[in-house]
Amino acid sequence: MPIPFPDDSVGLVRPRTQVFEEPLALACGRSLSGYELIYETYGELNAARSNAVLICHALSGNHHAAGYHDENDRKPGWWDSCIGPGKPIDTRKFFVVALNNLGGCNGSTGPTSVNPATGTPYGADFPVVTVEDWVNSQARLADVLGIAQWAAVIGGSLGGMQALQWTISYPERVRHCIAIASAPKLSAQNIAFNEVARQAILSDPEFHGGDFQAQGVIPKRGLMLARMVGHITYLSDDSMGEKFGRELKTDKLNYDFHSVEFQVESYLRYQGEEFSGRFDANTYLLMTKALDYFDPAQAHDGDLAKTFANAQARFCLMSFTTDWRFSPARSQEIVEALISAKKSVSYLEIDAPQGHDAFLIPIPRYLRGFAGYMNRIEV
Amino acid sequence: MPIPFPDDSVGLVRPRTQVFEEPLALACGRSLSGYELIYETYGELNAARSNAVLICHALSGNHHAAGYHDENDRKPGWWDSCIGPGKPIDTRKFFVVALNNLGGCNGSTGPTSVNPATGTPYGADFPVVTVEDWVNSQARLADVLGIAQWAAVIGGSLGGMQALQWTISYPERVRHCIAIASAPKLSAQNIAFNEVARQAILSDPEFHGGDFQAQGVIPKRGLMLARMVGHITYLSDDSMGEKFGRELKTDKLNYDFHSVEFQVESYLRYQGEEFSGRFDANTYLLMTKALDYFDPAQAHDGDLAKTFANAQARFCLMSFTTDWRFSPARSQEIVEALISAKKSVSYLEIDAPQGHDAFLIPIPRYLRGFAGYMNRIEV
């Protein structure tokens, strides 16, 4: 007999797919003639249609943000710690929508999908999509769902960038923007790490210029390396130290290059291998490019305050002390710009040892602060 | 006509090679039946043989620490900013010895050398060497040169680890130990970055299990990736930002994966490619392993103060504020241990934006502090 789901879980959920037949023009100059978005919803849309919140995912996320896909499923959605009855994004109050972004590899149209124009998978030919493109595609999903205005758009990391972009692209359609562990644009170091990840994938002989699917192979080593280097940046030096220290894998040193000497090597290899078996290499490239290109202030002479001039949302920014990928200073840049633009903004810096990954972790002060803000949203 | 060398240069230098025929037992349990060390010297050994200093190199360094190899050579040795007449390591006062470590690829016996037992290059069969092994091999070079005691052993990063190990392995043979931007052992994050670099090399199909030389190829892509990820850790986020920011390579975005969009991508690719053409992949693996394995306190229940109990040297530690590879806190661990062990220790933390690479850069306060210490050494 299946073990019952926890009381504060949204329980069994089932993804749905929405087909869009109207072409979508993209920032890169190309367009998609049609596309599908896979999404999940949790909670109920109220009669006034005023309680909908949108969850935007980060680099390797997807539409399965909370709950379980079948009765024997023991692994809930990626943000289950924050979505559910009594959790910060309380499904007794909110109607929650989570989707897989365009270019993804979990059900929305992306590189692994068949290009209707050719009858074969897009592969390397899938157009580069940006945060703006995603927000446009999400707005169409909102139209279909009858959501004229989100009570809140919420995301961490790259998801936070989408939440911010919503307030710029569709100012009248967002009442609250919650951007967690995010940044107004990547630093040179952020881009550099992405570039290493991309080069690892591009240089894998199994990548075949992005058309590996047609060859029946996957660039497993490249994806593994990309994930390994990414993973280092998601954890703090301290949290890695606490988790692994210099613990040896076996009692004695092997003095060779193939043995795993330290626990941290074993952990990274496992993370990399597991990821390379489930994620699409072209999607990984697309997601890192979306990160690199995000720079909403560019159209406003680099002035972030001007960028948010027309935003109507209230903002909540959160950051974590040991996050060195998108440090608190990056969130503070946004906070300062919003203050200059005379917007309503709350900011919470959470003392947490877990680095960038902290936004996925149920840290009590984080959950309390997050819930405190969400509870004050009127629906 | 060649342009004259700068006045504060050691000028033309010529490497020499020392052959050692006595076997060297290594920490890994294997031994080298014989080996060669290539080295350079600058300045003159005094009659009392009391003015010799040893320079230990870091991951990708070598014996060419200062001066020029021919009259048209415009690129001096890697630490020319610190070695020469009137420089911190003043060649009017000191006799400076710089060597390429065992396992290196610049002239000392290493993976590219012919294994006398087989008549073919060692390749992957070259034994893993440790910091202790290096110090033992350096001690034999000192014997040959008639140097019973170094006035100072000096190094930055991995070179600093060798300087520290000298005071433990040969306490009576070192009067001063100068360890710059170093650490008492790697953190889990440090090991993790090394592991990514190693996996990049090991997974390159051109690596051929380390025997690429026999195949007439080099694992260029793997080495390039290893160097790229390494390079990110040598620079601070700020210095990358100042150097490149988000400057675009061309006026407009290309929206593809192959074009170089940002200057930082172009810089990293150049660094990686240049390196992959001049460095040996097996040596890179060996150097990262030597870093991982360095942990002198392990033999003393992790107690660093006990580790230095028998050291007779005076110590000088230096660190740089924005170095996040071996941060000031790592140097301070050593300082604290030395204080507990009642040793003489000077410590200078230099405010510098350049990250780990700062130890190679002529930063005025660094040079002044370094020179100040060196000037007080009695010879």
Side-chain angles (χ1 to χ4, degrees):
Chain A
M1 232 182 72
I3 305 158
F5 298 128
D7 286 345
D8 61 355
S9 166
V10 299
L12 271 186
V13 294
R14 183 160 301 165
R16 269 168 286 180
T17 299
Q18 182 64 44
V19 179
F20 297 86
E21 291 180 344
E22 204 186 329
L24 182 73
L26 303 171
C28 65
R30 294 171 63 189
S31 70
L32 284 169
S33 59
Y35 58 94
E36 297 182 1
L37 292 178
I38 191 168
Y39 68 99
E40 292 181 359
T41 66
Y42 322 115
E44 298 292 330
L45 186 61
N46 64 10
R49 299 177 173 272
S50 64
N51 71 332
V53 308
L54 176 67
I55 307 297
C56 302
H57 71 73
L59 203 151
S60 61
N62 56 39
H63 56 288
H64 185 38
Y68 300 86
H69 276 167
D70 67 62
E71 292 194 341
N72 296 306
D73 190 358
R74 283 355 284 168
K75 197 168 170 261
W78 59 268
W79 222 10
D80 198 82
S81 58
C82 290
I83 303 168
K87 292 180 182 172
I89 303 168
D90 194 330
T91 47
R92 297 169 305 191
K93 174 179 179 181
F94 294 109
F95 174 65
V96 181
V97 179
L99 81 159
N100 185 213
N101 278 333
L102 268 182
C105 55
N106 294 95
S108 290
T109 301
T112 58
S113 311
V114 170
N115 179 351
T118 63
T120 57
Y122 281 100
D125 196 41
F126 196 86
V128 167
V129 283
T130 65
V131 169
E132 277 183 270
D133 296 330
W134 283 336
V135 167
N136 291 336
S137 70
Q138 291 160 2
R140 288 197 184 170
L141 180 62
D143 294 342
V144 169
L145 297 174
I147 298 159
Q149 187 187 58
W150 298 103
V153 181
I154 309 175
S157 191
L158 176 55
M161 293 173 172
Q162 295 160 60
L164 294 168
Q165 185 64 47
W166 260 96
T167 72
I168 301 164
S169 295
Y170 299 97
E172 71 292 350
R173 298 189 73 172
V174 194
R175 290 209 303 284
H176 294 270
C177 166
I178 294 119
I180 309 166
S182 196
K185 63 184 177 194
L186 295 201
S187 70
Q189 190 190 69
N190 293 148
I191 294 173
F193 277 120
N194 281 346
E195 173 65 4
V196 172
R198 279 192 295 268
Q199 289 297 325
I201 291 169
L202 293 167
S203 70
D204 187 326
E206 306 279 77
F207 182 65
H208 293 288
D211 290 322
F212 50 89
Q213 216 177 336
Q215 311 277 330
V217 293
I218 53 167
K220 212 171 152 58
R221 300 296 305 193
L223 257 175
M224 179 180 157
L225 288 170
R227 181 62 162 184
M228 286 172 80
V229 72
H231 214 87
I232 298 175
T233 70
Y234 305 151
L235 302 178
S236 68
D237 193 5
D238 283 352
S239 65
M240 271 200 156
E242 272 167 42
K243 244 174 157 162
F244 312 107
R246 292 175 51 89
E247 292 305 308
L248 291 173
K249 187 79 182 155
T250 54
D251 281 347
K252 61 172 196 54
L253 296 173
N254 293 287
Y255 295 106
D256 65 38
F257 304 131
H258 293 277
S259 304
V260 171
E261 300 284 31
F262 300 100
Q263 298 285 6
V264 65
E265 294 172 299
S266 153
Y267 170 79
L268 271 189
R269 287 193 204 176
Y270 171 79
Q271 290 288 338
E273 279 183 15
E274 186 272 336
F275 187 74
S276 69
R278 69 174 165 86
F279 207 80
D280 177 60
N282 284 310
T283 292
Y284 201 90
L285 296 176
L286 287 169
M287 295 287 161
T288 61
K289 276 293 182 185
L291 277 162
D292 285 8
Y293 287 143
F294 182 68
D295 185 7
Q298 204 180 17
H300 303 270
D301 307 319
D303 185 332
L304 202 57
K306 278 188 200 160
T307 309
F308 288 111
N310 296 323
Q312 297 176 23
R314 289 167 181 265
F315 291 81
C316 173
L317 280 288
M318 287 185 263
S319 68
F320 302 91
T321 46
T322 58
D323 183 352
W324 62 280
R325 186 179 174 88
F326 296 147
S327 71
R330 308 309 309 277
S331 286
Q332 288 158 21
E333 286 175 46
I334 302 167
V335 170
E336 290 304 319
L338 291 167
I339 290 170
S340 296
K342 301 192 194 307
K343 305 297 167 186
S344 162
V345 51
S346 300
Y347 173 58
L348 179 63
E349 187 174 310
I350 298 125
D351 198 356
Q354 295 95 340
H356 189 59
D357 261 2
F359 85 88
L360 297 166
I361 296 169
I363 298 158
R365 188 168 134 80
Y366 168 41
L367 296 185
R368 274 200 309 276
F370 197 171
Y373 190 90
M374 295 303 293
N375 292 342
R376 288 193 303 274
I377 294 179
E378 287 173 21
V379 296
Chain B
M1 233 181 74
I3 305 160
F5 298 128
D7 286 345
D8 61 355
S9 165
V10 298
L12 270 186
V13 294
R14 184 160 301 165
R16 269 168 286 180
T17 298
Q18 181 64 43
V19 179
F20 297 85
E21 291 180 344
E22 202 187 330
L24 182 73
L26 303 171
C28 66
R30 295 170 61 189
S31 71
L32 284 169
S33 59
Y35 59 95
E36 297 182 1
L37 292 179
I38 191 168
Y39 68 99
E40 292 182 357
T41 66
Y42 322 115
E44 299 293 329
L45 186 60
N46 64 10
R49 299 176 174 271
S50 64
N51 70 333
V53 307
L54 176 67
I55 307 296
C56 302
H57 70 73
L59 202 151
S60 61
N62 56 40
H63 56 287
H64 185 39
Y68 301 85
H69 277 166
D70 66 62
E71 292 193 342
N72 296 305
D73 190 358
R74 282 356 282 169
K75 198 168 170 262
W78 59 269
W79 221 10
D80 198 80
S81 57
C82 290
I83 303 168
K87 293 180 183 172
I89 303 167
D90 194 329
T91 47
R92 297 170 304 192
K93 174 178 180 182
F94 295 109
F95 174 64
V96 181
V97 180
L99 81 159
N100 185 213
N101 278 333
L102 268 183
C105 55
N106 294 95
S108 289
T109 300
T112 58
S113 309
V114 170
N115 179 350
T118 63
T120 58
Y122 282 99
D125 196 43
F126 195 85
V128 167
V129 283
T130 65
V131 168
E132 276 182 270
D133 295 330
W134 283 335
V135 167
N136 290 337
S137 71
Q138 291 160 2
R140 289 195 182 171
L141 180 62
D143 294 342
V144 170
L145 297 174
I147 297 160
Q149 186 186 59
W150 298 104
V153 181
I154 309 176
S157 191
L158 176 56
M161 293 172 172
Q162 294 160 61
L164 294 168
Q165 185 64 46
W166 260 97
T167 71
I168 301 164
S169 295
Y170 299 96
E172 72 292 351
R173 298 189 73 170
V174 194
R175 289 209 304 285
H176 294 269
C177 165
I178 293 118
I180 308 165
S182 197
K185 64 184 176 195
L186 294 201
S187 70
Q189 190 190 71
N190 293 148
I191 294 173
F193 277 120
N194 280 347
E195 173 65 5
V196 171
R198 280 193 295 267
Q199 289 297 326
I201 291 169
L202 293 168
S203 71
D204 187 325
E206 306 280 77
F207 182 65
H208 293 289
D211 289 322
F212 50 89
Q213 215 176 337
Q215 311 278 330
V217 293
I218 52 167
K220 211 170 153 60
R221 300 295 305 191
L223 257 175
M224 180 179 156
L225 289 169
R227 182 61 163 185
M228 286 172 80
V229 72
H231 213 89
I232 298 176
T233 71
Y234 305 151
L235 301 178
S236 69
D237 193 4
D238 282 353
S239 65
M240 271 200 156
E242 270 168 43
K243 242 174 160 161
F244 312 108
R246 291 174 53 89
E247 291 305 308
L248 290 172
K249 187 79 182 153
T250 55
D251 282 347
K252 62 174 193 55
L253 297 172
N254 293 286
Y255 295 107
D256 64 39
F257 303 132
H258 293 276
S259 304
V260 171
E261 301 283 32
F262 301 100
Q263 298 285 6
V264 65
E265 295 172 299
S266 152
Y267 170 79
L268 272 188
R269 287 192 204 175
Y270 171 79
Q271 290 288 338
E273 279 181 18
E274 185 271 336
F275 187 74
S276 69
R278 69 173 166 88
F279 208 80
D280 176 60
N282 285 310
T283 291
Y284 201 90
L285 296 176
L286 287 169
M287 295 288 161
T288 61
K289 277 292 183 186
L291 277 162
D292 286 9
Y293 288 143
F294 182 69
D295 185 7
Q298 204 179 17
H300 303 270
D301 306 320
D303 185 332
L304 201 57
K306 278 188 200 160
T307 309
F308 288 111
N310 297 323
Q312 296 177 24
R314 291 167 181 264
F315 291 82
C316 172
L317 280 287
M318 287 184 262
S319 68
F320 302 90
T321 48
T322 59
D323 182 353
W324 61 281
R325 187 180 174 89
F326 296 147
S327 70
R330 308 308 309 280
S331 285
Q332 287 158 21
E333 288 175 45
I334 301 168
V335 171
E336 290 303 319
L338 290 168
I339 290 172
S340 295
K342 303 192 192 309
K343 304 297 167 187
S344 161
V345 53
S346 299
Y347 174 57
L348 179 63
E349 186 174 312
I350 298 125
D351 198 356
Q354 295 96 338
H356 189 59
D357 260 3
F359 85 88
L360 297 165
I361 295 169
I363 298 159
R365 189 168 133 81
Y366 168 43
L367 296 185
R368 274 201 308 276
F370 197 171
Y373 190 90
M374 295 302 294
N375 291 343
R376 288 193 302 274
I377 294 178
E378 287 173 22
V379 295

